[in-house]
Amino acid sequence: MQREQVDVVVAGGASHVVTLAAGLSTLSTIVDIVSVGGASAGAISAAAEAFAVPVHKQKALLKKVLTRDYLKDRAWNPLDRYGLYAGDNLYKELKDLFGGKTMGEALIPLRVVVCDLWTRQPVVIEGGPGCNPEHAKLKVVDALRCSAAIPVFFKAWTLPEWRGNRLFVDGGTAANFAMGMFDDSPRRTIGLRLTPAPMDDVKPVRSLVAFCEAVASLVLWASDNAHISRKRYADVISLPQIGSGLNFNLTDEVFEERWAAGVAGVPGAQFLL
């Protein structure tokens, strides 16, 4: 039986990338993913799919970076690109995974959402066959580092080969779940995102950390739902949120629970049955 050819968009989710990566790898066994894209953590999973990174390598990388607060490599000067954490450990691990590959080398069309602080707008960086020639020469690690630069948390990043010293931050800031990313394609777009928390899920705000997390969650909620029409909602797979997305010190048990949730969440999608 011939499998359906689809485009896939993966939402951001910080450390929930474990669930999203597991969901995307599972989805790839059910349909033929022709094009893939995403923002923030979702962009990392999308790039892994576009470059055919084996699932076991993806899982090993995620387990390494999401334990022991490995990603919290405190910046020596938070005013330098405005981030509490340098993000150098994240960059190093991404470079180990993708090496010096450029966006143009992706095996299938890849789209990565970043936010240009100079224009105050999101930008889609293209990769793979037929991509924008200006984007093709960009290093994959730089595009992904920009897309995962959570404002204030990680330092902003630059793409000097393309836009000089402009600063870029997390693509999820403005377009965390850009379901319209492949509107120029005749194929169906399937979206992978996290299930929104229920309205009665009350979490008191009594600290600066809790305040920042609450505001970040509100921004992501608005971004996620701004890009989904009722017609498109049938093509969205919502995967369960387990714990906080800003928890970068996952235990082995929580890590495996999130991974299992991503695997189990895809086969149950009604439109894939």
Side-chain angles (χ1 to χ4, degrees), residues 170-195:
D170 195 321
T173 307
N176 195 56
F177 190 41
M179 275 293 284
M181 182 185 293
F182 294 110
D183 276 356
D184 57 339
S185 166
R187 293 175 295 274
R188 183 160 63 119
T189 296
I190 294 177
L192 281 174
R193 72 164 184 173
L194 300 166
T195 303

Side-chain angles (χ1 to χ4, degrees), residues 219-248:
V219 170
L220 292 181
W221 182 93
S223 178
D224 279 1
N225 290 280
H227 298 83
I228 306 176
S229 67
R230 290 184 181 277
K231 182 178 180 180
R232 286 185 175 278
Y233 193 81
D235 292 332
V236 174
I237 301 174
S238 291
L239 303 174
Q241 293 193 50
I242 299 173
S244 169
L246 294 180
N247 177 7
F248 294 100

Side-chain angles (χ1 to χ4, degrees), residues 11-20 39-42 44-45 62 66 71 148 150 153-154 170 176 194 220 244-248 250 258:
S15 67
H16 289 301
V17 64
V18 177
T19 305
L20 295 166
S40 193
I44 296 174
S45 294
L62 293 176
L66 294 175
L71 295 183
I150 302 172
F153 192 88
F154 285 133
D170 195 321
N176 195 56
L194 300 166
L220 292 181
S244 169
L246 294 180
N247 177 7
F248 294 100
L250 303 180
R258 291 188 181 190

Side-chain angles (χ1 to χ4, degrees), residues 195-270:
T195 303
M199 292 296 290
D200 59 354
D201 184 16
V202 178
K203 298 178 182 178
V205 175
R206 299 194 179 99
S207 69
L208 179 59
V209 172
F211 177 82
C212 291
E213 183 174 358
V215 172
S217 297
L218 184 60
V219 170
L220 292 181
W221 182 93
S223 178
D224 279 1
N225 290 280
H227 298 83
I228 306 176
S229 67
R230 290 184 181 277
K231 182 178 180 180
R232 286 185 175 278
Y233 193 81
D235 292 332
V236 174
I237 301 174
S238 291
L239 303 174
Q241 293 193 50
I242 299 173
S244 169
L246 294 180
N247 177 7
F248 294 100
N249 187 22
L250 303 180
T251 64
D252 288 343
E253 292 74 18
V254 171
F255 183 95
E256 293 299 336
E257 184 182 6
R258 291 188 181 190
W259 187 272
V263 172
V266 171
Q270 292 300 313

Side-chain angles (χ1 to χ4, degrees), residues 83-112:
L84 294 174
Y85 302 102
D88 292 342
N89 285 348
L90 173 61
Y91 189 84
K92 173 184 178 297
E93 298 303 328
L94 289 174
K95 192 169 184 180
D96 284 347
L97 192 64
F98 294 101
K101 292 179 180 177
T102 63
M103 290 292 291
E105 294 179 78
L107 301 178
I108 60 175
L110 168 66
R111 296 183 181 180
V112 173

